[in-house]
Amino acid sequence: MSSHSHAEGQLPHEPEKATLEGRNKVLGFWLFLGGETVLFGTLFSAFLALRHQVLDGPQPNELFKLSLVAAATAILLTSSLTSVFAIQALHNHNVKALINWLIVTVVLGLGFLGLEIYEFYHYVHEGHGFTTSAFSSSFYTLVGFHGAHVAFGIVWISSIIGQLMKKGLTVVTAPKVYVAGMYWHFIDVVWVFIFTVVYLMGKVV
């Protein structure tokens, strides 16, 4: 593992943008996030159109446990903060702190994912399966798709931690850390919309 003193002084302040390849990765990832936004927008639209089609299944206000969802939300938002600390460590060339903050982010992501899996398990036992109604299908598709993004992010950041431990912080690994941080913020923002549109509106409408 590279140390703070080893990396400091050998890299620019923003090593993720120090090379043309790094800048292209950041720009390309913004375009990717644009496509992801359209995709999630489509899933949100489908959910809003189908959320009252419950057939004989439970209503959203009978089903959702906001205390559990609020705990999952707090964990995921905290992970967004730790990813910010990781990027700060990146700009300070503090590799040890960078790795530690990324590990904390991964652990918090696993905590969120565990609560989401438990939530789905609970809902299925309440009679809210994927094929119960159009509402349930749109709910599991939207929330489950987000959960799959969280799982992918955990695997991705874990692989970057491995690369940092092996290769240290360079102009090659820095863009990977930076775009992974962008990705993590994106899935946090999407979750805020899910919490508002799916859970809060489901409780009051």
Side-chain angles (χ1 to χ4, degrees), residues 29 94 97 100 114 135 147 156 169:
F29 203 75
N94 189 335
N100 287 340
F135 158 63
W156 185 12
L169 181 60

Side-chain angles (χ1 to χ4, degrees), residues 116-134:
E116 188 163 86
I117 292 171
Y118 172 78
E119 179 193 18
F120 283 9
Y121 175 82
H122 173 74
Y123 291 163
V124 169
H125 280 74
E126 292 289 325
H128 184 68
F130 184 83
T131 58
T132 301
S133 64

Side-chain angles (χ1 to χ4, degrees), residues 46-59:
F47 175 81
L48 288 172
L50 300 173
R51 65 193 174 109
H52 295 302
Q53 309 301 319
V54 297
L55 294 178
D56 295 328
Q59 297 280 347

Side-chain angles (χ1 to χ4, degrees), residues 76-125:
L76 196 61
L77 293 182
T78 302
S79 75
S80 187
L81 180 62
T82 59
S83 70
V84 170
F85 292 154
I87 296 301
Q88 288 180 340
L90 165 70
H91 289 157
N92 291 331
H93 305 169
N94 189 335
V95 184
K96 182 178 180 181
L98 169 59
I99 291 174
N100 287 340
W101 282 122
L102 290 178
I103 290 174
V104 173
T105 301
V106 167
V107 170
L108 290 171
L110 287 170
F112 170 85
L113 208 55
L115 286 179
E116 188 163 86
I117 292 171
Y118 172 78
E119 179 193 18
F120 283 9
Y121 175 82
H122 173 74
Y123 291 163
V124 169
H125 280 74

Side-chain angles (χ1 to χ4, degrees), residues 1-192:
M1 181 191 312
S2 298
S3 66
H4 181 194
S5 59
H6 173 72
E8 192 171 27
Q10 300 177 6
L11 292 171
H13 173 63
E14 295 184 337
E16 73 276 9
K17 300 175 183 175
T19 65
L20 178 61
E21 181 181 356
R23 292 192 292 274
N24 286 340
K25 284 182 178 177
V26 174
L27 176 62
F29 203 75
W30 275 114
L31 297 176
F32 168 77
L33 292 183
E36 286 281 280
T37 301
V38 173
L39 184 56
F40 271 104
T42 303
L43 294 177
F44 272 107
S45 299
F47 175 81
L48 288 172
L50 300 173
R51 65 193 174 109
H52 295 302
Q53 309 301 319
V54 297
L55 294 178
D56 295 328
Q59 297 280 347
N61 58 358
E62 300 171 333
L63 188 69
F64 295 151
K65 306 297 182 187
L66 284 186
S67 57
L68 178 66
V69 181
T73 301
I75 291 173
L76 196 61
L77 293 182
T78 302
S79 75
S80 187
L81 180 62
T82 59
S83 70
V84 170
F85 292 154
I87 296 301
Q88 288 180 340
L90 165 70
H91 289 157
N92 291 331
H93 305 169
N94 189 335
V95 184
K96 182 178 180 181
L98 169 59
I99 291 174
N100 287 340
W101 282 122
L102 290 178
I103 290 174
V104 173
T105 301
V106 167
V107 170
L108 290 171
L110 287 170
F112 170 85
L113 208 55
L115 286 179
E116 188 163 86
I117 292 171
Y118 172 78
E119 179 193 18
F120 283 9
Y121 175 82
H122 173 74
Y123 291 163
V124 169
H125 280 74
E126 292 289 325
H128 184 68
F130 184 83
T131 58
T132 301
S133 64
F135 158 63
S136 66
S137 298
S138 61
F139 168 81
Y140 283 118
T141 300
L142 172 58
V143 181
F145 194 66
H146 175 269
H149 274 67
V150 174
F152 175 79
I154 290 170
V155 174
W156 185 12
I157 295 174
S158 297
S159 70
I160 291 173
I161 292 171
Q163 291 182 36
L164 289 170
M165 289 180 169
K166 183 177 180 180
K167 302 176 182 178
L169 181 60
T170 68
V171 293
V172 175
T173 56
K176 298 178 181 178
V177 175
Y178 191 78
V179 296
M182 291 169 61
Y183 176 84
W184 200 255
H185 288 310
F186 174 76
I187 61 176
D188 284 351
V189 170
V190 171
W191 179 256
V192 171

